[in-house]
């Protein structure tokens, strides 16, 4: 069959998939409460605040966990989707769910009409002081008065993410991403990751077949000459919907804001301007750790980190392979 | 110069008269915008970039609605947006059982391996059957450049798939 005929024949398949992707993309965008229209207008969004009719009261929820709650750890990133309190807005006091089991905490928060967002920190990180599976910190803090149906972010401690790339959480360091380490051969990395690196682009290899619902867009490695020199993970879209599964040892997560990056790393984060040419138009930060460097690429519009690379050369057309 | 994207005749001003509402614009032009961006960036990034461009248009609708060629403008907005999606693989859909088709199952992979310019040209001209003037306007290249991209893209596809005469 001639190539031109095949291409014409491909049209129905391509159009159907494009239409389906467009619908599915609109459905995936959860509509947080916002004060100005954004891309979420494409979704038949029902404003959560308008539909929840729950009686609110100032509460102090007793801790059901027998161990006294741990300290609040490092400050968490304030959420950006809390509506402003204006005259006439119903306000609610945020309960304390510190030290509660994460799923119970979520239930409490949602029963009171808030939107719960969980973020995870590995239990070996300096940010994590609660037991695994329990709420280590919350934002807004307990007792804060906020507009009805605001978002409450629960920081939950989870096991150290040193495993396969299908694990619930991966920790990235200057020399590793989960169980994949800089210096491994590509074959060893595939075994450690549990995936075949069958995708390739920009000198970067990655598994195409990530599990369904994987919240980031890519994890991969730079492996010229078949040796891993760099590992990286990225989350485009710069939103923090859903759990974040890539974090550094200090609890900084993919998708977090630049403000939070600077709060965690302080003067160790060296700003690097966007390169004059190449694939990226983003600037970022480089942090020198004892065992190497971490590169954080920032989405300029949202001021969030959309890529973290360990062992990277710096911000460039390809921050992983230089 | 009258410019357009999609199936409208060359020279015809298909910009909006200012009274078109955003929803009608999305219905009328959204599919074309998505086709151009999917041709270049693949399904995932193309659809996201199109959504970004439409969100951009929504927020600036007063200004965008008066442009002569809002779709062409939004293609470029989408291309800017797509630059943020680094290292996303270009993925095009495979055959599905629900759609009767006879194309070589290796065709989507072969298209993915073309350069973005050749892929865009081949997809718009040969898959979606756009005219050269329409596609050159959408992609911001001259018709002769476009023809080159199409020719080279088809040569690559033929080499990779081994065109048969059946």
């Amino acid at each position: 069959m001639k190539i031109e005929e095949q291409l014409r024949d491909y049209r129905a398949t391509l159009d159907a998939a494009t239409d389906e992707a467009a619908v599915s993309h609109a459905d995936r965008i959860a509509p947080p409460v916002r004060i100005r229209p954004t891309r979420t207008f494409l979704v038949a969004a029902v404003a959560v605040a308008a539909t929840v009719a729950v009686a609110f009261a100032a509460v102090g929820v007793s801790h059901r966990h027998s161990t006294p709650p741990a300290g609040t750890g490092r400050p968490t990133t304030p959420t950006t989707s809390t509506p402003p309190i204006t005259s006439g807005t119903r306000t609610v006091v945020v309960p304390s769910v510190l030290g509660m089991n994460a799923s119970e905490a979520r239930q409490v928060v949602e029963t009171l009409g808030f939107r719960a967002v969980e973020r995870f920190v590995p239990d070996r990180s300096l940010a994590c002081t609660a037991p695994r599976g329990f709420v280590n910190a919350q934002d807004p803090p307990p007792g804060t008065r906020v507009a009805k149906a605001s978002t409450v972010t629960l920081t939950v401690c989870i096991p150290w993410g040193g495993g396969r790339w299908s694990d619930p959480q991966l920790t990235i360091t200057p020399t590793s991403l989960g169980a994949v380490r800089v210096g491994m051969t590509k074959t060893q990395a595939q075994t450690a990751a549990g995936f075949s690196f069958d995708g390739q682009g920009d000198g970067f290899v990655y598994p195409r077949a990530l599990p369904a619902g994987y919240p980031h867009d890519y994890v991969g490695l730079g492996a010229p000459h078949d040796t891993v020199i760099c590992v990286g993970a990225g989350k485009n879209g710069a939103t923090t919907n859903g759990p974040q599964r890539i974090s550094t040892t200090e609890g900084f997560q993919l998708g977090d804001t630049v403000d939070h990056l600077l709060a965690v790393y302080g003067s160790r984060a060296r700003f690097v301007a966007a390169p004059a040419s190449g694939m990226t138009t983003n600037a970022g930060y480089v942090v020198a750790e004892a065992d190497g460097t971490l590169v954080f690429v920032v989405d300029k519009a949202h001021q969030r980190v959309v890529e973290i690379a360990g062992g990277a050369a710096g911000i460039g057309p390809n921050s992983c392979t230089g | 110069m009258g410019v357009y994207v999609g199936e409208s005749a060359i020279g015809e001003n298909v910009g909006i008269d200012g009274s078109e509402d955003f929803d009608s614009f999305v219905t009328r032009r959204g599919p074309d915008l998505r086709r151009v961006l999917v041709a270049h960036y693949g399904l995932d990034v193309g659809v996201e970039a199109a959504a970004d461009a439409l969100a951009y248009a929504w927020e600036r609708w007063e200004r965008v609605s008066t442009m002569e060629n809002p779709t062409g403008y939004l293609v470029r907005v989408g291309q800017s947006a797509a630059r943020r999606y680094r290292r996303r693989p270009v993925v095009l859909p495979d055959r599905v059982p629900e759609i009767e088709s006879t194309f070589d199952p290796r065709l989507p992979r072969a298209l993915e391996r073309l350069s973005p310019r050749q892929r865009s040209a081949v997809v718009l001209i040969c898959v979606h059957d756009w005219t050269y003037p329409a596609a050159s306007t959408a992609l911001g290249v001259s018709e002769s450049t476009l023809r080159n991209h199409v020719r080279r893209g088809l040569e690559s596809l033929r080499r990779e798939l081994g065109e048969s005469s059946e």
Side-chain angles (χ1 to χ4, degrees):
Chain A
M1 192 185 184
K2 285 194 167 303
I3 200 74
E4 287 89 340
E5 286 169 28
Q6 295 194 55
L7 288 164
R8 277 195 291 276
D9 189 55
Y10 186 54
R11 181 177 180 174
T13 301
L14 182 56
D15 269 345
T18 304
D19 291 343
E20 191 185 328
V23 169
S24 153
H25 173 266
D27 284 348
R28 265 197 340 254
I29 301 172
V33 180
R34 293 185 191 268
I35 52 176
R36 57 189 280 270
T38 68
R39 63 195 290 176
T40 57
F41 77 85
L42 290 171
V43 181
V46 177
V48 172
T51 59
V52 171
V54 179
F56 299 112
V59 293
V61 178
S62 60
H63 297 154
R64 296 185 222 175
H65 176 43
S66 58
T67 307
T72 54
R74 288 172 183 258
T76 56
T77 308
T79 61
T80 56
S81 57
T82 303
I85 296 176
T86 57
S87 123
T89 307
R90 254 187 99 189
T91 61
V92 191
V93 172
V94 176
S96 174
V97 291
L98 293 171
M100 288 180 81
N101 170 285
S103 58
E104 284 177 350
R106 175 181 266 274
Q107 229 174 347
V108 165
V109 160
E110 288 178 345
T111 299
L112 292 173
F114 296 103
R115 177 175 169 260
V117 168
E118 284 165 300
R119 47 173 287 149
F120 301 98
V121 285
D123 65 0
R124 275 167 60 179
S125 98
L126 300 177
C128 188
T129 51
R132 292 179 185 183
F134 289 84
V135 175
N136 186 62
Q138 65 177 85
D139 178 69
T144 311
R145 184 166 283 278
V146 296
K148 195 171 109 176
S150 300
T151 298
V152 175
T153 302
L154 310 172
T155 301
V156 180
C157 294
I158 55 171
W160 173 261
R164 292 160 82 79
W165 284 8
S166 53
D167 280 359
Q169 188 268 342
L170 291 178
T171 302
I172 187 165
T173 73
T175 56
S176 65
L177 176 56
V180 174
R181 302 206 176 302
V182 167
M184 280 182 169
T185 63
K186 189 173 154 191
T187 306
Q188 288 170 333
Q190 287 182 151
T191 305
F195 286 104
S196 161
F197 292 113
D198 51 354
Q200 187 169 340
D202 305 338
F204 195 69
V205 295
Y206 51 84
R208 288 162 70 107
L210 293 174
Y214 211 68
H216 354 281
D217 297 307
Y218 59 84
V219 285
L221 44 92
H225 317 298
D226 204 44
T227 303
V228 177
I229 61 166
C230 166
V231 287
K235 178 164 177 59
N236 291 302
T239 64
T240 55
N241 289 335
Q244 298 298 302
R245 302 194 326 193
I246 303 280
S247 55
T248 67
T249 54
E250 305 217 12
F252 182 86
Q253 297 182 4
L254 198 59
D256 279 349
T257 62
V258 170
D259 284 347
H260 188 56
L261 176 77
L262 297 174
V264 170
Y265 290 103
S267 56
R268 284 195 290 146
R270 176 173 62 89
F271 177 75
V272 177
S277 61
M279 295 278 297
T280 182
T281 57
N282 291 324
Y285 292 81
V286 175
V287 171
E289 305 265 26
D291 53 346
T293 53
L294 278 172
V295 167
F296 300 85
V297 179
V298 174
D299 176 87
K300 187 175 170 184
H302 298 92
Q303 287 294 291
R304 290 188 181 271
V305 170
V306 292
E307 180 177 312
I308 305 178
I315 307 280
N318 180 328
S319 60
C320 197
T321 58
Chain B
M1 164 171 117
V3 292
Y4 71 103
V5 175
E7 295 166 354
S8 308
I10 187 171
E12 179 190 326
N13 181 353
V14 293
I16 358 207
D17 61 7
S19 64
E20 178 176 21
D21 65 13
F22 182 80
D23 287 344
S24 319
F25 175 75
V26 169
T27 306
R28 203 161 60 84
R29 289 298 174 208
D32 277 344
L33 180 63
R34 270 196 289 277
R35 284 187 184 109
V36 174
L37 294 170
V38 166
H40 188 116
Y41 298 105
L43 206 51
D44 289 345
V45 177
V47 165
E48 295 226 27
D52 282 346
L54 289 171
Y56 182 94
W58 160 251
E59 288 170 359
R60 293 158 185 80
W61 185 236
E62 263 189 51
R63 181 167 68 89
V64 172
S65 63
T66 59
M67 288 180 179
E68 193 180 316
N69 179 20
T71 313
Y73 175 74
L74 292 179
V75 166
R76 273 161 271 299
V77 170
Q79 287 170 338
S80 258
R83 279 208 292 277
R84 291 190 284 118
Y85 297 106
R86 302 175 63 211
R87 296 206 190 99
R88 288 277 287 275
V90 173
V91 177
L92 291 174
D94 291 310
R95 269 200 203 169
V96 289
E98 301 80 34
I99 299 178
E100 203 178 302
S101 49
T102 51
F103 60 83
D104 188 321
R106 298 171 295 163
L107 179 65
R109 301 290 87 71
L111 281 168
E112 287 164 6
R113 280 191 277 272
L114 294 180
S115 75
R117 291 190 173 124
Q118 287 174 7
R119 180 174 52 252
S120 300
V122 167
V123 168
L124 290 184
I125 298 290
C126 303
V127 175
H128 291 303
D129 201 27
W130 284 22
T131 62
Y132 277 90
S136 71
T137 303
L139 299 174
V141 298
S142 67
E143 280 186 45
S144 59
T145 301
L146 183 64
R147 283 178 201 279
N148 253 334
H149 289 328
V150 171
R151 185 175 49 80
R152 288 186 184 145
L154 289 177
E155 276 168 11
S156 292
L157 291 174
R158 283 187 193 108
R159 254 194 326 269
E160 189 156 344
L161 301 180
E163 181 161 79
S164 76
S165 56
E166 71 172 287

